[in-house]
Amino acid sequence: MSAKRSISRPGSDAIRDKGWLAANRYLVLRRISQLTVLLLFMTGPWFGLWIAKGNLASSLTLDILPLTDPYLFVQSLAAGFMPASSALIGAAIVIAFYALFGGRIYCAWVCPVNVVTDVAAWLRRRLGLKSGRAPDGNTRYWVLAGSLLAAAVTGTVVWEWVNPVTILQRSLIFGLSGSLVVIFAIFSYDVLVASRGWCGHLCPMGAFYGLLGQKSLIRITADQRGRCDDCMDCFAVCPEPQVIRPALKKAGQESPLILDRDCTNCGRCIDVCNKHVFHFTHRFDQRSDS
Amino acid sequence: MSPASAARRKFLNGIAAAAGGGALLTFGSLLAVRPAAANPAQALRPPGALAEDEFLSACVRCGLCVRDCPYDTLVLAPVGSDVAGGTPYFRARSIPCEMCDDIPCVKACPTGALNPKLTDIHDARMGLAVLSDQETCLNFLGLRCDVCYRVCPVIDKAITLETLHNPRSDRHALLLPTVHSSHCTGCGKCEAACVLPEAAIKVMPVKLAKGALPDHYRKGWEEKQKHGGSLIGDQLEMPVRGLEGKAHGDVRVDTPPAGLDSGWKP
């Protein structure tokens, strides 16, 4: 199989060797997870069966469990407002969860924007688009700092006026107009301007969750890296390709663990690898075949 | 160029690009944001909402108040609306606030953007009703519509009917709906109920509707009551020529009977 075909259709070898379902296992699980999160909010308005109320910014599940997005909470703080205890408890629970289990699993397993940018990346690979220029990957941290600074200067949560992530989540859950505009904007940006542009370079929410899960437990390991035949499928499919090299090629580290905070734990590298190089594990698992 | 300086240049370029991109995005978002507290006059905040600029720092746009509003009064502003995107509001003319005793919207708010100290809905000040058009209000035209007065949940306190002589017919009264800011919660039921195609009474944000007296103004009658009597002593009563036999202040002139009372017979 030629390298070019592999880049446009990463995972085709894995589908041949492992079967379609095994080669898309984590993709399917993530789509189920993302859809389930939205459905938990929709059973109320659709069937009168209230499981989760509110939206991903802040919610109340089964009238008992408060959850608040810590990035929104911090923006409120920066704007000079101390949110009430319910939001405080909600944010603490969310922070504890993601700090423990992996910050950016929010991006890969919860956030609906991920579906849009995954499809955009898929289309870009298929069409073989190389055009456009992605901003530096650190831009997201500047946007994060800028959003907090802007909140402090203006005294309002200014980023939330334009934050496409919360706008999409809110519009979907509350049936407001705006979903299509946001989807179209992010999709065309990712397809035409910058490969993996939004989630991988700009989104300050992703940056925030990345920082949050810097030391989190769940990690992907390239423990069977000796079997790697350099087919490049994992690099082609990974939303944050720079995170793979240190673990897979021992670039600057001996450990086989992908420890970069940008890794979203999406598991696509596990899916597309027909050599079974990658596995989910915890951050203390140093086992490796080489 | 040495490899070290090339690497340094690349690093600095990266930093500059990131800083530039970040700054551009931030300022772009700032530009896209209209000044706070510029909501349209007909968009009212839920009960207990903090002052607009503070509200916009406190509200995380989760919509929990919207979900717990039993009358679907509250809605979240969509993107591109003239109300800050994602924040809750209502329009009195579409669905007014029913002033629930337990105030579920305030209880639902996780951040305190709707102040939990509001426990009596009668203390809510979502807006202030204004009888904004005296030319079309049916009561001002001399009819007995009274609908705004009748539907007011704080009837006889927030809206009273003030009686005035009707100079057009010269034999009827005008009963003028009059709003009292000390009791009006801004629920909007009067505006919703106004029978005209366009309401003559409208609820507006308090800031827009309410005037303010200068600080140094004192009302003589209030000062007199506080003091327990006139502060300047009793007024001198001077005799008025031609009215010597009458009580002080009675300036009615005795006129010969006329009209129906004239006693004239054909």
Side-chain angles (χ1 to χ4, degrees):
Chain A
M1 185 162 287
S2 75
K4 200 181 168 197
R5 177 155 164 74
S6 170
I7 300 304
S8 71
R9 290 172 183 252
S12 46
D13 290 351
I15 292 174
R16 188 194 59 215
D17 295 347
K18 302 197 284 190
W20 188 90
L21 198 62
N24 289 286
R25 185 171 154 211
Y26 288 108
L27 183 65
V28 171
L29 286 176
R30 286 195 298 117
R31 293 294 175 261
I32 291 172
S33 160
Q34 286 157 334
L35 196 65
T36 306
V37 169
L38 286 182
L39 285 178
L40 291 180
F41 287 99
M42 299 317 299
T43 55
W46 284 350
F47 312 115
L49 178 70
W50 291 98
I51 300 172
K53 265 185 197 170
N55 62 34
L56 289 164
S58 193
S59 61
L60 188 64
T61 301
L62 297 174
D63 281 328
I64 181 99
L65 174 70
L67 295 173
T68 297
D69 189 297
Y71 176 47
L72 276 146
F73 187 89
V74 170
Q75 282 185 75
S76 252
L77 281 185
F81 180 80
M82 180 63 207
S85 58
S86 171
L88 184 67
I89 295 166
I93 295 173
V94 175
I95 287 175
F97 178 82
Y98 286 104
L100 198 60
F101 294 110
R104 290 201 70 193
I105 58 176
Y106 175 83
C107 303
W109 294 79
V110 175
C111 184
V113 177
N114 170 264
V115 182
V116 179
T117 58
D118 271 358
V119 173
W122 172 84
L123 189 67
R124 212 179 143 87
R125 279 196 306 268
R126 273 300 168 88
L127 299 177
L129 290 180
K130 297 273 177 265
S131 58
R133 184 169 181 276
D136 188 278
N138 285 327
T139 312
R140 53 185 134 189
Y141 298 104
W142 290 95
V143 179
L144 174 59
S147 68
L148 297 180
L149 188 68
V153 170
T154 59
T156 71
V157 286
V158 110
W159 179 250
E160 292 310 306
W161 294 60
V162 291
N163 187 347
V165 179
T166 47
I167 289 174
L168 181 64
Q169 294 169 351
R170 187 168 62 230
S171 306
L172 287 174
I173 291 170
F174 281 83
L176 308 174
S177 63
S179 313
L180 289 177
V181 179
V182 172
I183 291 172
F184 178 77
I186 293 184
F187 187 78
S188 29
Y189 177 71
D190 266 30
V191 170
L192 301 173
V193 182
S195 169
R196 292 286 179 182
W198 176 257
C199 296
H201 298 81
L202 294 180
C203 179
M205 262 173 121
F208 185 90
Y209 278 94
L211 290 170
L212 198 60
Q214 190 121 306
K215 300 287 173 208
S216 61
L217 288 179
I218 298 181
R219 295 286 158 176
I220 288 176
T221 176
D223 57 339
Q224 304 298 316
R225 55 193 169 191
R227 300 187 200 161
C228 175
D229 66 352
D230 297 331
C231 75
M232 295 293 282
D233 276 11
C234 57
F235 283 96
V237 84
C238 179
E240 304 277 354
Q242 75 280 6
V243 308
I244 297 180
R245 216 171 96 81
L248 186 62
K249 298 295 167 192
K250 297 191 195 174
Q253 70 175 45
E254 272 303 308
S255 163
L257 292 167
I258 295 179
L259 292 167
D260 197 302
R261 63 175 175 236
D262 289 341
C263 173
T264 66
N265 277 347
C266 72
R268 273 308 267 162
C269 52
I270 306 176
D271 278 352
V272 301
C273 182
N274 66 338
K275 301 283 182 290
H276 305 278
V277 168
F278 300 97
H279 297 96
F280 268 117
T281 185
H282 55 84
R283 71 178 297 120
F284 305 108
D285 179 8
Q286 297 293 350
R287 283 173 301 173
S288 163
D289 70 344
S290 62
Chain B
M1 204 190 303
S2 75
S5 89
R8 190 184 313 132
R9 175 172 301 190
K10 189 164 177 257
F11 175 73
L12 290 176
N13 276 341
I15 295 272
L24 211 66
L25 261 167
T26 309
F27 285 110
S29 70
L30 279 175
L31 280 180
V33 171
R34 296 170 317 107
N39 281 339
Q42 299 283 270
L44 303 172
R45 290 298 184 198
L50 303 173
E52 187 65 12
D53 49 348
E54 206 184 346
F55 181 78
L56 288 176
S57 73
C59 174
V60 294
R61 300 144 200 240
C62 66
L64 277 166
C65 55
V66 173
R67 289 294 193 224
D68 278 2
C69 175
Y71 298 97
D72 293 335
T73 301
L74 297 174
V75 289
L76 286 187
V79 188
S81 141
D82 40 10
V83 182
T87 56
Y89 74 102
F90 70 101
R91 286 182 200 273
R93 189 69 166 165
S94 350
I95 309 181
C97 172
E98 295 285 342
M99 289 177 60
C100 311
D101 277 337
D102 52 346
I103 332 181
C105 49
V106 171
K107 279 191 186 150
C109 180
T111 64
L114 307 182
N115 196 339
K117 286 188 187 130
L118 179 75
T119 48
D120 181 358
I121 189 65
H122 291 91
D123 295 335
R125 292 294 178 268
M126 297 167 265
L128 179 59
V130 181
L131 204 148
S132 54
D133 190 10
Q134 306 185 351
E135 291 176 343
T136 52
C137 171
L138 296 181
N139 274 38
F140 267 82
L141 295 178
L143 280 78
R144 288 298 305 275
C145 166
D146 299 2
V147 166
C148 56
Y149 163 77
R150 295 281 166 205
V151 299
C152 178
V154 202
I155 185 169
D156 281 327
K157 286 180 183 156
I159 302 185
T160 56
L161 291 177
E162 301 296 320
T163 320
L164 213 65
H165 175 65
N166 183 343
R168 189 173 49 76
S169 76
D170 208 21
R171 66 185 64 202
H172 298 94
L174 297 171
L175 286 99
L176 307 180
T178 308
V179 179
H180 302 277
S181 63
S182 50
H183 286 95
C184 175
T185 63
C187 72
K189 294 208 79 164
C190 52
E191 182 182 337
C194 180
V195 299
L196 300 178
E198 176 70 41
I201 189 165
K202 291 191 166 88
V203 180
M204 300 175 186
V206 178
K207 204 178 165 188
L208 191 66
K210 189 91 183 98
L213 288 171
D215 285 341
H216 66 279
Y217 271 40
R218 299 286 180 273
K219 288 169 188 157
W221 55 95
E222 283 179 4
E223 298 300 318
K224 185 175 172 182
Q225 199 174 17
K226 243 188 276 173
H227 184 253
S230 172
L231 287 153
I232 53 170
D234 289 328
Q235 274 183 306
L236 232 72
E237 293 182 8
M238 301 292 282
V240 180
R241 190 179 297 152
L243 300 172
E244 287 88 355
K246 300 198 157 206
H248 179 71
D250 182 358
V251 294
R252 286 175 297 181
V253 183
D254 295 324
T255 46
L260 289 173
D261 304 327
S262 69
W264 180 85
K265 286 201 173 63

